[in-house]
């Protein structure tokens, strides 16, 4: 992981997740100069526990995620929609990333350039999940891309049987989102 990398998180653990496939499409159609690296360790993160939320006591998987997010130039988060919100595994990861009780580490998410998107099989895609995610990212003080919004509805119609994104409009929106994220990253780097 380097400062020239965008770390991508899929909120789905499912092997054939359209959200993970969307992140693979982001790698393929990336118009920017930053490499997109997909994080695949959500399954390894234990439930958030305040009693062990210190650098010395946190599980190695948590410290590794915090390190990678801290080093990344930006974040790309793809969320499915579960019960009108984000999946518990994604919320759990964000909880682990949002703290600094010792006031010595810094907050990995603070002012981190971040873009969100999501894919779902229904007519609304992940509209409600993305709204819930945006509320969380306000609290964590991420620097979130506002437009374009990428809600891939009827996602099963937008990927082929090999998991490749085939819908031209979705590809265009994805590239616009990545370009907007690149602009935020460049603006952050210029101000540093």
């Amino acid at each position: 992981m380097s400062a020239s990398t965008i770390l991508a998180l899929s909120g789905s653990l499912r092997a054939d997740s359209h959200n993970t496939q969307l992140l693979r499409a982001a790698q393929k159609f990336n118009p920017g100069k930053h490499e997109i690296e997909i994080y695949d360790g959500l399954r390894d993160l234990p439930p958030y526990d305040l009693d062990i939320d210190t650098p010395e006591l946190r599980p190695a998987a948590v410290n590794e995620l915090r390190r990678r997010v801290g080093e990344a130039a930006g974040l790309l988060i793809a969320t499915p929609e579960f019960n009108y919100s984000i999946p518990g595994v994604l919320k759990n990861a964000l909880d682990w990333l949002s703290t600094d009780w010792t006031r010595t580490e810094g907050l990995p998410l603070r002012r981190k350039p971040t873009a969100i998107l999501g894919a779902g099989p229904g007519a609304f895609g992940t509209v409600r999940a993305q709204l819930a995610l945006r509320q969380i990212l306000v609290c964590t003080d991420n620097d979130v891309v506002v437009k374009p919004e990428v809600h891939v509805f009827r996602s099963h119609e937008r990927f082929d049987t090999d998991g490749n994104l085939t819908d031209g409009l979705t590809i265009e929106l994805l590239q616009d989102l990545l370009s907007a994220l690149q602009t935020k990253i460049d603006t952050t780097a210029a101000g540093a």
Side-chain angles (χ1 to χ4, degrees):
M1 180 67 58
S2 72
S4 64
T5 301
I6 294 169
L7 186 63
L9 304 173
S10 172
S12 178
L13 300 179
R14 194 170 65 85
D16 293 329
S17 161
H18 289 156
N19 286 281
T20 303
Q21 291 170 351
L22 198 53
L23 294 179
R24 288 189 195 109
Q27 289 176 316
K28 179 178 180 181
F29 298 109
N30 182 10
K33 61 187 177 191
H34 288 84
E35 175 188 350
I36 297 173
E37 181 180 313
I38 299 175
Y39 173 77
D40 62 359
L42 280 188
R43 182 175 272 116
D44 301 327
L45 301 175
Y48 179 78
D49 183 347
L50 179 60
D51 287 340
I52 60 169
D53 190 8
T54 66
E56 302 79 23
L57 297 177
R58 280 187 208 113
V62 172
N63 279 330
E64 176 66 9
L65 175 60
R66 288 175 64 95
R67 181 191 64 77
R68 290 175 70 183
V69 168
E71 291 177 358
L75 293 177
L76 179 63
I77 303 174
T79 185
E81 185 169 305
F82 293 168
N83 300 318
Y84 289 9
S85 191
I86 66 172
V89 292
L90 179 56
K91 175 65 165 67
N92 185 56
L94 294 172
D95 288 346
W96 279 116
L97 290 166
S98 66
T99 61
D100 178 14
W101 303 112
T102 63
R103 301 194 189 285
T104 60
E105 305 172 276
L107 298 165
L109 296 176
R110 178 170 282 159
R111 305 310 305 150
K112 182 67 65 175
T114 303
I116 66 174
L117 67 167
F124 296 107
T126 59
V127 170
R128 293 167 291 222
Q130 288 190 44
L131 180 59
L133 181 55
R134 286 180 190 279
Q135 289 176 320
I136 293 167
L137 297 177
V138 166
C139 180
T140 57
D141 199 24
N142 288 60
D143 186 10
V144 180
V145 172
V146 177
K147 296 281 185 181
E149 295 182 37
V150 181
H151 305 283
V152 183
F153 63 96
R154 299 186 59 82
S155 58
H156 56 284
E157 297 175 357
R158 316 244 182 256
F159 296 89
D160 66 19
T161 56
D162 294 323
N164 298 303
L165 181 61
T166 58
D167 182 67
L169 179 58
T170 303
I171 292 169
E172 184 179 325
L173 283 169
L174 179 59
Q175 289 181 314
D176 290 348
L177 180 71
L178 293 170
S179 293
L181 178 57
Q182 181 68 57
T183 299
K184 278 207 179 287
I185 290 169
D186 291 345
T187 301
T188 299

